[in-house]
Amino acid sequence: MQTEQAAAADTVIDAALSDLAQGEEKWSRLPLAGRRALLDRVRALTGQHAQEWVAAAARIKGLDATSPLVGEEWMSGPYAFATALAAVSRTLDSLEQGVSPLAKAKFGAAGNQVTVQVLPTSLYDELLLNGFRADIWLQRGVSSAAARANAGLAQLDPTRTHGIGAVLGAGNISSIAPLDTVYELIAHNRVVALKLNPVTDPLLPVLEKIFAPLIDLAVVRILTGGADIGGRLIAHEKVAHVHMTGSAATHDAIVWGTGPDATARKAAGAPLLDKPISSELGGVSPTIVLPGRWSASDLRFQAEHIATQRLHNGGYNCVAAQAVIISAEWAQKDEFLKALAAALDRAPSRRAYYPGSDDRVAAARSTYPDARRLGGHGERTLITGLDPTAAEQLYSTEYFAPVLGVVELPETGAAFAGAAVDTANERLTGTLGVNIVAHPDTIAALGTEFEDLIERLRYGTIAVNAWTAVGYLTPTASWGAYPGHTLDDVQSGIGVVHNAWLIDRIERTVVRGPFRPAPRSLLNREWALTPKPPWFVTNRTAAQTGRLLTAFAAEPRWSRLPAIFASALRG
């Protein structure tokens, strides 16, 4: 039976890759205008089938169709994909006109590095995400002139294709696999065999409808099945490159194999995989809380903010906050911890849908038996009172579950901030994302030292008074690990995705947001109009706002904005 199943799988894979080999020839002859038209059609189909997409994702995760939590599926599913398609389409339009995608970009500087402002980039951004900003930092030595000249990546020579890329999709966020597919197709000019994660196999029917223009041209094929199918796909001689999203353990199993043989291969520098691989992996994401003088409203809001960083999508995010680093000498430490526990406790309950979640939670509770059980069914774990000597497991194990730990370091002010950055850089596994929460007065008091702290952090996305997921949702931002990882120490991965302006040699993305939501932001002279963001797990109108934002992303119209604003203000 196994032999028959293997033969059937090989037949499906062979047929898909044969189709893609023919599709690559068609793709090489398709001009930029034709490519842009295809992406525009995919975006229109995303809008048409968005409800079906969200309904399938909600069923996978066991969400009640009437729950505000369905807003997560709108925002991190069709909304994220539609906004990215629009941004990539504009990039192709610029290249078609012989103009760099960065021709009108705002360049700046951070230390001795050149930066590119990637949010806001339009009046729509200014209105919908008022108070938020994101900048890409280019690698050291890259000038603004070089960035302009090289923006476009493989689309600078669209006739030169690069074979077939195999994309191994993620099982948690439903837009990851579609976004990675488009990035392979556009940034690297590779046709794509997308293998869905078995968790997301129920999305196949709607994804086939949305990707129909690219499937019809035979530049995309979507496969389902288990690890055996993925293994056969990436080992196929017709596959030139592999991109995966998942864990470092899965990456190493793909690259080196498993067991003693894998150890020997790694020691010899002889990977089992015989082709290049890029990856977006997880890790232990920290949130650094700088001590300051906060109001009661500030404490409640930031507690909900950090609870969201952990509990969004049930905690099954590669960039979910896991280690909160605070000052043991902060005068408001106890107030903050009380507010954080309350926010975790009252957030909506949900099913632990991701495989292995209960085992990982149990492992955390075994390591930290004094941890608190919170939530309606005690499904959340809060570990407090940790000093650095007791935090090793929290620092090194990505729980990928609703587990949050709080680590206390000595000192306050610049001394604490520096120690927190050192801890994040040197002690925690992974480099995908780090959050910093700081009162504007604290940032002002640190002055240039605060910017030095950001420069010292070695993470692919840094968020100040925002969650790093804002970088994920910003199509012109980059998403991926801090550069420099290798196959034998992959950490949070190799390479970047998203990056709709197709910028070369990126180091990181830095996101900044308001410390307070509107209207309190205005009353405290922050001049930010954004109310409680729709991605907060406590947002009461998240589902409606997410649906309205998705419709706008698929087909922007000024007439759609009043309803979005009205829904957002009620959140």
Side-chain angles (χ1 to χ4, degrees):
M1 180 64 71
Q2 284 186 332
T3 302
E4 292 177 3
Q5 290 175 340
D10 286 339
T11 298
V12 171
I13 292 169
D14 286 343
L17 297 182
S18 293
D19 289 347
L20 289 169
Q22 297 178 38
E24 183 183 5
E25 176 63 26
K26 299 175 187 176
W27 185 248
S28 70
R29 298 195 304 267
L30 189 67
L32 292 171
R35 298 178 180 200
R36 180 166 53 84
L38 283 175
L39 294 188
D40 289 345
R41 180 59 184 149
V42 172
R43 179 161 63 111
L45 289 168
T46 300
Q48 292 173 27
H49 297 288
Q51 180 64 62
E52 184 180 347
W53 178 335
V54 169
R59 285 194 298 272
I60 290 169
K61 299 176 183 183
L63 297 177
D64 188 305
T66 62
S67 170
L69 292 175
V70 174
E72 296 178 357
E73 304 312 314
W74 283 104
M75 294 290 295
S76 64
Y79 169 79
F81 191 48
T83 56
L85 289 167
V88 173
S89 177
R90 289 190 291 270
T91 291
L92 294 182
D93 183 49
S94 294
L95 293 170
E96 182 188 352
Q97 306 303 321
V99 176
S100 170
L102 298 181
K104 297 181 180 179
K106 295 180 180 179
F107 287 89
N112 62 355
Q113 291 172 255
V114 173
T115 64
V116 185
Q117 184 177 313
V118 293
L119 179 74
T121 63
S122 68
L123 182 55
Y124 286 149
D125 288 345
E126 293 274 13
L127 293 171
L128 293 172
L129 284 168
N130 189 268
F132 286 87
R133 173 175 170 157
D135 297 272
I136 280 177
W137 291 27
L138 304 177
Q139 294 179 21
R140 286 167 174 79
V142 179
S143 66
S144 57
R148 285 192 188 95
N150 295 324
L153 299 178
Q155 295 305 308
L156 292 171
D157 184 2
T159 63
R160 186 184 176 199
T161 54
H162 298 278
I164 299 172
V167 171
L168 304 181
N172 56 339
I173 294 296
S174 63
S175 63
I176 292 177
L179 288 169
D180 291 351
T181 297
V182 170
Y183 197 71
E184 278 288 294
L185 189 64
I186 300 300
H188 301 295
N189 223 17
R190 285 189 282 261
V191 295
V192 181
L194 166 61
K195 213 291 282 180
L196 295 178
N197 186 294
V199 174
T200 62
D201 280 355
L203 287 168
L204 176 64
V206 67
L207 291 181
E208 286 182 328
K209 294 175 185 177
I210 288 170
F211 275 103
L214 300 174
I215 292 172
D216 291 346
L217 193 64
V219 298
V220 169
R221 286 291 181 267
I222 307 177
L223 305 172
T224 60
D228 57 325
I229 302 295
R232 290 174 181 276
L233 172 64
I234 64 176
H236 201 287
E237 61 181 8
K238 288 185 179 179
V239 170
H241 183 274
V242 177
H243 178 78
M244 65 157 292
T245 300
S247 69
T250 301
H251 170 276
D252 285 355
I254 289 170
V255 173
W256 306 104
T258 57
D261 289 345
T263 303
R265 290 189 196 98
K266 205 172 206 181
L272 182 66
L273 187 69
D274 62 352
K275 58 202 66 175
I277 182 171
S278 56
S279 51
E280 187 266 275
L281 311 174
V284 176
S285 291
T287 294
I288 298 171
V289 179
L290 298 185
R293 185 62 198 170
W294 297 9
S295 70
S297 296
D298 296 337
L299 287 164
R300 285 193 299 272
F301 177 76
Q302 291 301 340
E304 288 186 19
H305 189 187
I306 295 172
T308 291
Q309 294 172 9
R310 177 70 265 182
L311 297 181
H312 181 279
N313 193 35
Y316 312 116
N317 286 332
C318 52
V319 76
Q322 180 169 303
V324 181
I325 303 173
I326 67 172
S327 166
E329 300 171 27
W330 182 21
Q332 292 183 286
K333 180 189 73 173
D334 292 341
E335 292 177 82
F336 167 75
L337 291 176
K338 182 178 179 181
L340 180 60
L344 290 167
D345 193 47
R346 66 173 176 262
S349 294
R350 63 178 94 197
R351 181 169 67 87
Y353 77 90
Y354 206 84
S357 174
D358 291 343
D359 291 339
R360 292 189 294 275
V361 171
R365 291 175 176 172
S366 175
T367 302
Y368 301 105
D370 294 332
R372 296 178 62 181
R373 301 186 180 202
L374 301 170
H377 305 288
E379 70 271 25
R380 292 153 210 162
T381 299
L382 176 63
I383 308 160
T384 57
L386 291 178
D387 64 40
T389 62
E392 191 54 44
Q393 285 296 107
L394 181 75
Y395 286 164
S396 61
T397 304
E398 183 188 9
Y399 288 118
F400 209 70
V403 175
L404 185 66
V406 180
V407 180
E408 299 182 15
L409 301 182
E411 305 289 350
T412 58
F416 165 78
V421 167
D422 289 341
T423 298
N425 279 341
E426 307 299 338
R427 304 275 311 270
L428 274 66
T429 295
T431 65
L432 187 60
V434 57
N435 312 286
I436 302 173
V437 176
H439 193 286
D441 291 346
T442 302
I443 294 173
L446 287 170
T448 58
E449 286 185 90
F450 184 78
E451 299 305 318
D452 292 342
L453 293 170
I454 292 175
E455 187 174 355
R456 283 178 49 207
L457 281 164
R458 298 192 297 270
Y459 283 82
T461 300
I462 300 168
V464 179
N465 291 332
W467 181 25
T468 46
V470 177
Y472 178 94
L473 291 175
T474 301
T476 42
S478 60
W479 188 251
Y482 191 80
H485 300 316
T486 58
L487 289 182
D488 59 351
D489 185 19
V490 74
Q491 294 282 320
S492 289
I494 298 170
V496 300
V497 290
H498 302 190
N499 183 28
W501 282 345
L502 304 180
I503 301 172
D504 194 21
R505 298 186 63 191
I506 290 170
E507 183 184 79
R508 69 181 90 184
T509 289
V510 177
V511 178
R512 300 173 196 256
F515 181 71
R516 308 174 181 90
R520 284 197 306 113
S521 55
L522 299 174
L523 297 174
N524 289 275
R525 296 175 295 174
E526 278 195 271
W527 315 123
L529 299 176
T530 302
K532 179 188 289 187
W535 53 84
F536 268 44
V537 294
T538 51
N539 191 301
R540 294 169 298 185
T541 61
Q544 180 182 11
T545 304
R547 177 178 57 79
L548 293 170
L549 282 168
T550 300
F552 179 84
E555 188 182 359
R557 292 203 303 261
W558 288 103
S559 59
R560 296 188 189 274
L561 293 178
I564 294 173
F565 295 148
S567 180
L569 287 169
R570 293 195 302 271

